[in-house]
Coordinates of all heavy atoms in Angstrom, one line a residue:
M1 N -1.3 -16.3 12.1 CA -1.9 -16.1 10.8 C -0.9 -15.9 9.7 O 0.1 -15.2 10.0 CB -2.9 -14.9 10.9 CG -3.6 -14.6 9.7 SD -5.0 -13.6 10.0 CE -4.7 -12.2 9.0
T2 N -1.1 -16.4 8.6 CA -0.2 -16.3 7.5 C -0.3 -14.9 6.9 O -1.4 -14.4 6.7 CB -0.6 -17.3 6.4 OG1 -0.6 -18.6 6.9 CG2 0.4 -17.2 5.2
P3 N 0.8 -14.3 6.7 CA 0.8 -12.9 6.1 C 0.0 -12.9 4.8 O 0.0 -13.9 4.0 CB 2.3 -12.6 5.9 CG 3.0 -13.4 6.9 CD 2.2 -14.7 7.0
I4 N -0.6 -11.8 4.5 CA -1.4 -11.6 3.3 C -0.6 -11.9 2.1 O -1.0 -12.5 1.1 CB -2.1 -10.2 3.3 CG1 -2.9 -10.0 4.5 CG2 -2.9 -10.0 2.0 CD1 -3.3 -8.6 4.8
L5 N 0.6 -11.4 2.0 CA 1.5 -11.5 0.9 C 1.7 -13.0 0.6 O 1.7 -13.4 -0.6 CB 2.8 -10.7 1.1 CG 3.7 -10.5 -0.1 CD1 2.9 -9.8 -1.2 CD2 4.8 -9.6 0.3
D6 N 1.9 -13.8 1.6 CA 2.2 -15.2 1.4 C 0.9 -15.9 0.8 O 1.1 -16.8 0.0 CB 2.5 -15.9 2.7 CG 3.9 -15.5 3.2 OD1 4.7 -15.0 2.5 OD2 4.2 -15.8 4.4
R7 N -0.2 -15.5 1.2 CA -1.5 -16.0 0.7 C -1.6 -15.7 -0.8 O -2.0 -16.5 -1.6 CB -2.7 -15.5 1.4 CG -2.8 -15.9 2.9 CD -4.0 -15.3 3.5 NE -4.2 -15.7 4.8 CZ -5.2 -15.4 5.6 NH1 -6.2 -14.6 5.1 NH2 -5.3 -15.8 6.8
I8 N -1.3 -14.5 -1.1 CA -1.4 -14.1 -2.5 C -0.4 -14.9 -3.4 O -0.8 -15.4 -4.4 CB -1.1 -12.6 -2.7 CG1 -2.3 -11.8 -2.0 CG2 -0.9 -12.1 -4.1 CD1 -2.0 -10.3 -1.8
R9 N 0.8 -15.0 -2.9 CA 1.8 -15.7 -3.7 C 1.5 -17.2 -3.8 O 1.8 -17.8 -4.8 CB 3.2 -15.5 -3.0 CG 3.7 -14.1 -3.2 CD 5.1 -13.9 -2.5 NE 5.6 -12.6 -2.7 CZ 6.4 -12.0 -1.9 NH1 6.8 -12.6 -0.8 NH2 6.9 -10.8 -2.2
A10 N 0.9 -17.8 -2.8 CA 0.5 -19.2 -2.8 C -0.5 -19.5 -4.0 O -0.6 -20.6 -4.4 CB -0.1 -19.6 -1.5
H11 N -1.2 -18.4 -4.4 CA -2.2 -18.6 -5.5 C -1.6 -18.0 -6.8 O -2.4 -17.8 -7.8 CB -3.5 -17.9 -5.2 CG -4.3 -18.6 -4.1 ND1 -4.1 -18.4 -2.8 CD2 -5.2 -19.6 -4.3 CE1 -4.9 -19.3 -2.1 NE2 -5.6 -20.0 -3.0
G12 N -0.3 -17.8 -6.9 CA 0.3 -17.3 -8.1 C 0.1 -15.8 -8.3 O 0.5 -15.3 -9.4
G13 N -0.3 -15.1 -7.3 CA -0.5 -13.7 -7.5 C 0.8 -13.0 -7.1 O 1.7 -13.6 -6.6
E14 N 0.8 -11.7 -7.4 CA 2.0 -10.9 -7.1 C 1.6 -9.5 -6.7 O 0.6 -9.0 -7.3 CB 2.9 -10.9 -8.3 CG 4.2 -10.1 -8.1 CD 5.0 -10.1 -9.4 OE1 4.7 -10.7 -10.4 OE2 6.1 -9.5 -9.4
V15 N 2.2 -8.9 -5.8 CA 2.0 -7.5 -5.4 C 3.2 -6.7 -5.8 O 4.3 -7.0 -5.5 CB 1.8 -7.4 -3.9 CG1 1.6 -5.9 -3.5 CG2 0.6 -8.2 -3.4
I16 N 2.9 -5.6 -6.5 CA 3.9 -4.7 -7.0 C 3.8 -3.4 -6.4 O 2.7 -2.8 -6.4 CB 3.8 -4.6 -8.6 CG1 4.0 -5.9 -9.3 CG2 4.8 -3.6 -9.1 CD1 2.7 -6.4 -9.9
R17 N 4.9 -2.9 -5.8 CA 4.9 -1.6 -5.2 C 5.3 -0.5 -6.2 O 6.3 -0.7 -6.9 CB 5.8 -1.5 -4.0 CG 5.7 -0.1 -3.3 CD 6.5 -0.2 -2.0 NE 7.9 -0.2 -2.1 CZ 8.6 0.9 -2.1 NH1 8.1 2.1 -2.0 NH2 9.9 0.8 -2.3
D18 N 4.5 0.5 -6.4 CA 4.8 1.6 -7.3 C 4.8 2.9 -6.4 O 3.8 3.4 -6.1 CB 3.8 1.7 -8.4 CG 4.0 2.8 -9.4 OD1 5.1 3.4 -9.4 OD2 3.1 3.2 -10.1
E19 N 6.0 3.2 -6.0 CA 6.2 4.3 -5.0 C 5.4 4.0 -3.8 O 5.7 3.0 -3.1 CB 5.8 5.7 -5.6 CG 6.7 6.1 -6.8 CD 6.4 7.4 -7.3 OE1 5.2 7.8 -7.4 OE2 7.4 8.1 -7.7
W20 N 4.4 4.7 -3.4 CA 3.6 4.5 -2.2 C 2.3 3.8 -2.5 O 1.5 3.6 -1.6 CB 3.4 5.8 -1.4 CG 2.5 6.8 -2.2 CD1 1.2 6.9 -2.1 CD2 3.0 7.8 -3.1 NE1 0.7 7.9 -3.0 CE2 1.9 8.5 -3.6 CE3 4.2 8.2 -3.5 CZ2 1.9 9.5 -4.4 CZ3 4.3 9.2 -4.4 CH2 3.2 9.9 -4.8
R21 N 2.1 3.3 -3.7 CA 0.9 2.6 -4.0 C 1.2 1.1 -4.3 O 2.4 0.8 -4.6 CB 0.2 3.2 -5.2 CG -0.2 4.7 -5.0 CD -0.6 5.4 -6.3 NE 0.5 5.6 -7.2 CZ 1.2 6.7 -7.2 NH1 1.0 7.6 -6.4 NH2 2.2 6.8 -8.1
I22 N 0.2 0.3 -4.3 CA 0.5 -1.1 -4.6 C -0.5 -1.6 -5.7 O -1.6 -1.0 -5.8 CB 0.4 -2.1 -3.4 CG1 -0.9 -2.0 -2.7 CG2 1.6 -1.9 -2.5 CD1 -1.1 -3.0 -1.6
R23 N -0.1 -2.5 -6.5 CA -1.0 -3.1 -7.5 C -0.9 -4.6 -7.4 O 0.1 -5.2 -6.9 CB -0.5 -2.7 -9.0 CG -0.6 -1.3 -9.3 CD 0.0 -1.0 -10.7 NE 1.3 -1.5 -10.7 CZ 1.9 -2.0 -11.8 NH1 1.3 -2.0 -13.0 NH2 3.2 -2.4 -11.8
L24 N -2.0 -5.3 -7.8 CA -2.1 -6.7 -7.6 C -2.2 -7.4 -9.0 O -3.0 -7.0 -9.8 CB -3.3 -7.1 -6.8 CG -3.6 -8.5 -6.7 CD1 -2.6 -9.3 -5.8 CD2 -5.0 -8.7 -6.1
R25 N -1.3 -8.4 -9.2 CA -1.5 -9.3 -10.3 C -2.1 -10.5 -9.7 O -1.5 -11.2 -8.9 CB -0.1 -9.7 -11.0 CG 0.4 -8.5 -11.8 CD 1.6 -9.0 -12.6 NE 2.3 -7.8 -13.2 CZ 3.6 -7.8 -13.4 NH1 4.3 -8.9 -13.2 NH2 4.1 -6.7 -13.9
R26 N -3.3 -10.8 -10.1 CA -4.1 -11.7 -9.3 C -3.8 -13.2 -9.5 O -4.1 -14.0 -8.6 CB -5.6 -11.5 -9.6 CG -6.0 -11.9 -11.0 CD -7.5 -11.5 -11.3 NE -8.3 -12.5 -10.6 CZ -9.6 -12.3 -10.4 NH1 -10.2 -11.2 -10.8 NH2 -10.4 -13.2 -9.8
G27 N -3.1 -13.6 -10.5 CA -2.7 -15.0 -10.6 C -4.0 -15.9 -10.6 O -4.9 -15.6 -11.4
R28 N -4.1 -16.9 -9.8 CA -5.2 -17.7 -9.7 C -6.1 -17.4 -8.5 O -6.9 -18.2 -8.1 CB -4.8 -19.2 -9.5 CG -3.9 -19.7 -10.7 CD -3.5 -21.1 -10.5 NE -2.9 -21.4 -9.2 CZ -1.6 -21.2 -8.8 NH1 -0.8 -20.6 -9.7 NH2 -1.2 -21.5 -7.6
L29 N -6.0 -16.2 -8.0 CA -6.9 -15.8 -6.9 C -8.3 -15.8 -7.3 O -8.7 -15.2 -8.3 CB -6.5 -14.4 -6.4 CG -5.2 -14.3 -5.6 CD1 -4.8 -12.9 -5.4 CD2 -5.3 -14.9 -4.2
P30 N -9.2 -16.5 -6.5 CA -10.6 -16.5 -6.8 C -11.3 -15.2 -6.5 O -10.8 -14.4 -5.8 CB -11.2 -17.6 -6.0 CG -10.2 -17.7 -4.8 CD -8.8 -17.3 -5.4
A31 N -12.4 -15.0 -7.1 CA -13.2 -13.7 -6.9 C -13.4 -13.4 -5.4 O -13.3 -12.2 -5.1 CB -14.5 -13.8 -7.7
P32 N -13.8 -14.3 -4.6 CA -14.0 -13.9 -3.2 C -12.7 -13.4 -2.5 O -12.7 -12.5 -1.7 CB -14.4 -15.2 -2.5 CG -15.0 -16.0 -3.6 CD -14.2 -15.7 -4.8
A33 N -11.5 -13.9 -2.9 CA -10.3 -13.5 -2.4 C -10.0 -12.0 -2.8 O -9.5 -11.2 -2.1 CB -9.1 -14.4 -2.8
I34 N -10.3 -11.7 -4.1 CA -10.1 -10.4 -4.6 C -11.0 -9.4 -3.8 O -10.6 -8.3 -3.4 CB -10.4 -10.3 -6.1 CG1 -9.5 -11.2 -6.9 CG2 -10.4 -8.9 -6.6 CD1 -8.0 -10.8 -6.8
A35 N -12.3 -9.8 -3.6 CA -13.2 -9.0 -2.8 C -12.7 -8.7 -1.4 O -12.7 -7.6 -0.9 CB -14.6 -9.6 -2.8
W36 N -12.1 -9.8 -0.8 CA -11.5 -9.6 0.5 C -10.3 -8.6 0.5 O -10.2 -7.8 1.4 CB -11.1 -11.0 1.0 CG -10.4 -11.0 2.4 CD1 -11.1 -10.9 3.6 CD2 -9.0 -11.1 2.7 NE1 -10.2 -10.9 4.6 CE2 -8.9 -11.1 4.1 CE3 -7.9 -11.3 1.9 CZ2 -7.7 -11.2 4.7 CZ3 -6.7 -11.4 2.6 CH2 -6.6 -11.3 4.0
L37 N -9.5 -8.7 -0.5 CA -8.3 -7.9 -0.7 C -8.7 -6.4 -0.9 O -7.9 -5.5 -0.7 CB -7.4 -8.3 -1.8 CG -6.6 -9.6 -1.5 CD1 -6.0 -10.2 -2.8 CD2 -5.5 -9.3 -0.5
R38 N -9.9 -6.2 -1.4 CA -10.4 -4.8 -1.7 C -10.8 -4.0 -0.4 O -11.0 -2.8 -0.5 CB -11.5 -4.8 -2.7 CG -11.0 -5.1 -4.1 CD -12.0 -4.9 -5.1 NE -11.5 -5.1 -6.4 CZ -12.0 -5.8 -7.4 NH1 -13.2 -6.3 -7.2 NH2 -11.4 -5.9 -8.6
Q39 N -10.9 -4.7 0.7 CA -11.4 -4.1 1.9 C -10.2 -3.1 2.4 O -9.1 -3.5 2.4 CB -11.6 -5.1 3.0 CG -12.7 -6.0 2.7 CD -12.9 -7.1 3.8 OE1 -13.3 -6.7 4.9 NE2 -12.5 -8.3 3.5
P40 N -10.6 -1.9 2.8 CA -9.6 -0.9 3.1 C -8.6 -1.4 4.2 O -7.4 -1.1 4.1 CB -10.4 0.3 3.6 CG -11.7 0.2 2.8 CD -12.0 -1.3 2.8
H41 N -9.1 -2.0 5.2 CA -8.2 -2.4 6.3 C -7.2 -3.5 5.8 O -6.1 -3.6 6.3 CB -8.9 -2.8 7.6 CG -9.7 -4.1 7.5 ND1 -10.9 -4.2 6.8 CD2 -9.4 -5.4 7.9 CE1 -11.3 -5.5 6.9 NE2 -10.5 -6.2 7.6
I42 N -7.7 -4.4 4.9 CA -6.8 -5.4 4.3 C -5.7 -4.7 3.4 O -4.6 -5.1 3.4 CB -7.6 -6.5 3.6 CG1 -8.6 -7.2 4.5 CG2 -6.7 -7.5 2.9 CD1 -7.9 -7.9 5.7
Q43 N -6.2 -3.8 2.6 CA -5.2 -3.0 1.7 C -4.2 -2.3 2.6 O -3.0 -2.4 2.2 CB -6.0 -2.0 0.9 CG -6.8 -2.7 -0.2 CD -7.5 -1.7 -1.1 OE1 -7.4 -0.5 -0.9 NE2 -8.3 -2.2 -2.0
T44 N -4.5 -1.7 3.7 CA -3.6 -1.1 4.5 C -2.6 -2.1 5.1 O -1.4 -1.9 5.1 CB -4.3 -0.3 5.7 OG1 -5.2 0.7 5.1 CG2 -3.3 0.3 6.6
A45 N -3.1 -3.2 5.6 CA -2.2 -4.3 6.2 C -1.3 -4.8 5.1 O -0.1 -5.0 5.4 CB -3.1 -5.4 6.8
L46 N -1.8 -5.0 3.9 CA -0.9 -5.5 2.8 C 0.1 -4.5 2.4 O 1.3 -4.8 2.3 CB -1.8 -5.8 1.6 CG -1.1 -6.3 0.3 CD1 -0.2 -7.6 0.6 CD2 -2.1 -6.6 -0.8
L47 N -0.2 -3.2 2.4 CA 0.8 -2.2 2.1 C 1.9 -2.2 3.1 O 3.1 -2.1 2.8 CB 0.1 -0.8 2.0 CG 1.0 0.4 1.7 CD1 1.8 0.2 0.4 CD2 0.3 1.7 1.7
L48 N 1.5 -2.3 4.4 CA 2.5 -2.3 5.4 C 3.4 -3.6 5.3 O 4.6 -3.5 5.7 CB 1.9 -2.2 6.8 CG 1.3 -0.9 7.1 CD1 0.5 -0.9 8.4 CD2 2.4 0.2 7.2
E49 N 2.9 -4.7 4.8 CA 3.7 -5.9 4.6 C 4.7 -5.6 3.5 O 5.9 -6.0 3.6 CB 2.9 -7.1 4.3 CG 2.2 -7.8 5.4 CD 1.5 -9.1 5.0 OE1 2.0 -9.8 4.1 OE2 0.4 -9.3 5.5
V50 N 4.2 -5.0 2.5 CA 5.1 -4.8 1.3 C 6.1 -3.7 1.5 O 7.2 -3.7 1.1 CB 4.2 -4.4 0.0 CG1 5.0 -4.0 -1.1 CG2 3.3 -5.6 -0.3
W51 N 5.6 -2.6 2.2 CA 6.5 -1.4 2.5 C 6.2 -0.9 3.9 O 5.3 -0.1 4.1 CB 6.2 -0.4 1.4 CG 7.1 0.8 1.4 CD1 8.5 0.7 1.4 CD2 6.8 2.2 1.4 NE1 9.0 2.0 1.4 CE2 8.0 2.9 1.3 CE3 5.6 2.9 1.3 CZ2 8.1 4.3 1.3 CZ3 5.6 4.3 1.3 CH2 6.9 4.9 1.3
P52 N 7.0 -1.3 4.9 CA 6.8 -1.0 6.2 C 6.8 0.5 6.5 O 6.3 1.0 7.5 CB 7.9 -1.7 7.0 CG 8.3 -2.8 6.1 CD 8.1 -2.3 4.7
E53 N 7.5 1.3 5.6 CA 7.6 2.7 5.8 C 6.3 3.5 5.5 O 6.2 4.7 5.6 CB 8.8 3.3 5.0 CG 10.1 2.8 5.4 CD 10.5 1.5 4.8 OE1 9.7 0.9 4.0 OE2 11.6 1.0 5.1
A54 N 5.3 2.8 5.1 CA 4.0 3.4 4.6 C 3.4 4.2 5.8 O 2.8 5.3 5.5 CB 3.0 2.4 4.2
D55 N 3.6 3.8 7.0 CA 3.0 4.6 8.1 C 3.7 5.9 8.2 O 3.0 7.0 8.5 CB 3.2 3.8 9.5 CG 2.1 2.9 9.8 OD1 1.0 3.0 9.2 OD2 2.3 2.0 10.7
A56 N 5.0 6.0 8.0 CA 5.7 7.2 8.1 C 5.3 8.2 7.0 O 5.1 9.4 7.1 CB 7.2 7.0 8.0
L57 N 5.1 7.6 5.8 CA 4.6 8.4 4.7 C 3.2 9.0 5.0 O 3.0 10.2 4.7 CB 4.5 7.5 3.4 CG 3.9 8.3 2.2 CD1 4.8 8.2 1.0 CD2 2.5 7.8 1.9
E58 N 2.3 8.2 5.5 CA 1.0 8.6 5.8 C 1.0 9.8 6.8 O 0.3 10.8 6.7 CB 0.1 7.4 6.3 CG -1.3 7.8 6.7 CD -2.1 8.3 5.5 OE1 -1.9 7.9 4.4 OE2 -2.9 9.2 5.8
E59 N 1.8 9.6 7.8 CA 1.9 10.7 8.9 C 2.5 12.0 8.3 O 1.9 13.0 8.5 CB 2.8 10.2 10.0 CG 2.9 11.2 11.1 CD 3.8 10.7 12.3 OE1 4.2 9.6 12.3 OE2 4.0 11.6 13.2
R60 N 3.5 11.9 7.5 CA 4.1 13.1 6.9 C 3.2 13.7 5.9 O 3.1 15.0 5.8 CB 5.4 12.8 6.3 CG 6.5 12.4 7.3 CD 7.8 12.0 6.6 NE 8.7 11.4 7.6 CZ 10.0 11.7 7.6 NH1 10.5 12.5 6.7 NH2 10.7 11.2 8.6
A61 N 2.5 12.9 5.1 CA 1.5 13.5 4.1 C 0.4 14.2 4.8 O -0.1 15.2 4.4 CB 1.0 12.3 3.2
A62 N -0.1 13.6 5.9 CA -1.2 14.2 6.7 C -0.8 15.6 7.3 O -1.6 16.5 7.2 CB -1.7 13.3 7.8
I63 N 0.4 15.6 7.8 CA 0.9 16.9 8.3 C 1.0 17.9 7.2 O 0.6 19.1 7.4 CB 2.3 16.7 9.0 CG1 2.1 15.9 10.3 CG2 3.0 18.0 9.3 CD1 3.4 15.4 10.9
R64 N 1.5 17.6 6.1 CA 1.7 18.5 4.9 C 0.3 18.9 4.4 O 0.1 20.1 4.1 CB 2.4 17.8 3.8 CG 3.9 17.7 4.1 CD 4.6 17.0 2.9 NE 6.0 17.3 2.9 CZ 6.6 18.4 2.5 NH1 5.8 19.4 2.0 NH2 7.9 18.6 2.6
E65 N -0.7 18.0 4.5 CA -2.0 18.3 4.0 C -2.8 19.2 4.9 O -3.3 20.3 4.5 CB -2.8 17.0 3.7 CG -4.2 17.2 3.1 CD -4.9 15.9 2.9 OE1 -4.4 14.9 3.3 OE2 -5.9 16.0 2.2
Y66 N -2.8 18.9 6.2 CA -3.6 19.6 7.1 C -3.0 20.8 7.7 O -3.6 21.8 7.9 CB -4.1 18.7 8.3 CG -5.1 17.6 7.7 CD1 -4.7 16.3 7.5 CD2 -6.3 18.0 7.3 CE1 -5.5 15.4 7.0 CE2 -7.2 17.0 6.7 CZ -6.8 15.7 6.6 OH -7.6 14.8 6.0
C67 N -1.7 20.7 8.0 CA -1.0 21.9 8.6 C -0.4 22.8 7.5 O -0.2 24.0 7.7 CB 0.1 21.4 9.6 SG -0.5 20.5 11.0
G68 N 0.1 22.1 6.4 CA 0.8 22.9 5.4 C -0.2 23.4 4.3 O 0.3 24.1 3.4
G69 N -1.4 22.9 4.2 CA -2.3 23.3 3.2 C -2.1 22.8 1.8 O -2.7 23.2 0.9
Q70 N -1.3 21.7 1.7 CA -1.1 21.1 0.4 C -2.3 20.2 0.0 O -2.9 19.6 0.9 CB 0.2 20.3 0.4 CG 1.4 21.1 0.5 CD 2.7 20.2 0.4 OE1 2.7 19.0 0.8 NE2 3.7 20.7 -0.2
D71 N -2.5 20.0 -1.3 CA -3.5 19.1 -1.6 C -2.9 17.7 -1.4 O -1.7 17.5 -1.3 CB -4.0 19.3 -3.1 CG -2.9 19.0 -4.1 OD1 -2.6 17.8 -4.4 OD2 -2.3 20.0 -4.6
R72 N -3.8 16.7 -1.4 CA -3.4 15.3 -1.0 C -2.3 14.8 -1.9 O -1.3 14.2 -1.4 CB -4.6 14.4 -0.9 CG -4.2 13.0 -0.4 CD -3.8 13.1 1.0 NE -3.3 11.8 1.5 CZ -2.9 11.5 2.7 NH1 -2.9 12.4 3.6 NH2 -2.5 10.3 3.0
A73 N -2.5 14.9 -3.2 CA -1.5 14.4 -4.2 C -0.1 15.0 -4.0 O 0.9 14.3 -3.9 CB -2.0 14.6 -5.6
A74 N -0.1 16.3 -3.8 CA 1.2 17.0 -3.6 C 1.8 16.6 -2.2 O 3.0 16.4 -2.1 CB 1.1 18.5 -3.6
A75 N 1.0 16.5 -1.2 CA 1.5 16.1 0.1 C 2.1 14.7 0.1 O 3.1 14.4 0.6 CB 0.3 16.1 1.1
E76 N 1.4 13.7 -0.7 CA 2.0 12.4 -0.8 C 3.3 12.3 -1.5 O 4.2 11.6 -1.1 CB 0.9 11.4 -1.4 CG -0.2 11.1 -0.5 CD -1.3 10.3 -1.2 OE1 -1.4 10.3 -2.4 OE2 -2.0 9.6 -0.5
R77 N 3.4 13.1 -2.6 CA 4.6 13.1 -3.4 C 5.8 13.6 -2.6 O 6.9 13.1 -2.5 CB 4.5 14.0 -4.7 CG 3.8 13.3 -5.8 CD 3.9 14.1 -7.1 NE 3.4 15.4 -7.0 CZ 2.1 15.8 -7.1 NH1 1.2 14.8 -7.3 NH2 1.7 17.0 -7.0
A78 N 5.5 14.7 -1.8 CA 6.6 15.3 -1.0 C 7.0 14.4 0.1 O 8.1 14.2 0.5 CB 6.1 16.7 -0.5
A79 N 6.0 13.8 0.8 CA 6.2 12.9 1.9 C 7.0 11.6 1.4 O 7.9 11.2 2.1 CB 4.9 12.5 2.5
Y80 N 6.7 11.2 0.2 CA 7.4 10.0 -0.4 C 8.9 10.4 -0.5 O 9.8 9.6 -0.2 CB 6.8 9.6 -1.7 CG 7.5 8.4 -2.3 CD1 7.3 7.1 -1.8 CD2 8.4 8.6 -3.4 CE1 8.0 6.0 -2.4 CE2 9.1 7.5 -3.9 CZ 8.9 6.2 -3.4 OH 9.5 5.2 -3.9
G81 N 9.1 11.6 -1.0 CA 10.5 12.0 -1.1 C 11.2 12.1 0.2 O 12.4 11.7 0.3
E82 N 10.5 12.5 1.2 CA 11.2 12.6 2.6 C 11.4 11.2 3.1 O 12.5 11.0 3.7 CB 10.2 13.4 3.5 CG 10.1 14.8 3.3 CD 9.1 15.5 4.2 OE1 8.5 14.8 5.1 OE2 8.7 16.7 3.9
V83 N 10.5 10.3 3.0 CA 10.6 9.0 3.6 C 11.7 8.2 2.9 O 12.5 7.5 3.5 CB 9.3 8.2 3.5 CG1 9.4 6.8 3.9 CG2 8.3 8.9 4.5
T84 N 11.8 8.3 1.6 CA 12.8 7.6 0.8 C 14.2 8.2 1.0 O 15.2 7.5 0.7 CB 12.4 7.4 -0.6 OG1 12.2 8.7 -1.2 CG2 11.2 6.5 -0.8
A85 N 14.3 9.4 1.3 CA 15.6 10.1 1.5 C 16.3 9.7 2.8 O 17.4 9.8 3.0 CB 15.4 11.6 1.4
C86 N 15.5 9.2 3.8 CA 16.0 8.9 5.1 C 16.9 7.7 5.1 O 16.8 6.8 4.4 CB 14.9 8.7 6.1 SG 13.9 10.2 6.4

């Protein structure tokens, strides 16, 4: 199967990583393709294609949130700092 990122680029689209989040410039992607990309499991797969360290961030953020009592936003910011410092 062709990676999701390749499919997006083939239609003139672009994926931009902003820290641990991604944004899409749709290019010529048709509406059904955009709807497909909005599915949570597709977004997760795309994020991992763009930034393979996303799994490590998710794990560290979850530990900070559930064991450390941080709110999700603070946990993600701190986890991002840890993952990018490695």
Side-chain angles (χ1 to χ4, degrees):
M1 184 161 120
T2 305
I4 301 166
L5 194 53
D6 288 348
R7 292 178 178 184
I8 292 169
R9 289 178 177 154
H11 287 90
E14 184 180 357
V15 176
I16 299 111
R17 184 172 73 94
D18 179 16
E19 295 182 326
W20 62 91
R21 297 171 293 268
I22 56 174
R23 294 178 305 149
L24 174 68
R25 288 193 192 149
R26 69 183 286 166
R28 298 179 314 276
L29 287 166
I34 298 297
W36 180 76
L37 286 167
R38 287 190 175 136
Q39 297 177 71
H41 70 284
I42 299 299
Q43 289 180 1
T44 300
L46 178 58
L47 177 60
L48 289 171
E49 278 186 39
V50 173
W51 191 47
E53 294 85 0
D55 273 344
L57 177 127
E58 179 61 34
E59 182 179 354
R60 290 174 190 225
I63 291 168
R64 288 178 159 282
E65 184 178 10
Y66 294 106
C67 298
Q70 291 183 328
D71 65 79
R72 185 64 186 182
E76 286 177 336
R77 279 191 304 277
Y80 180 76
E82 289 175 7
V83 170
T84 56
C86 295

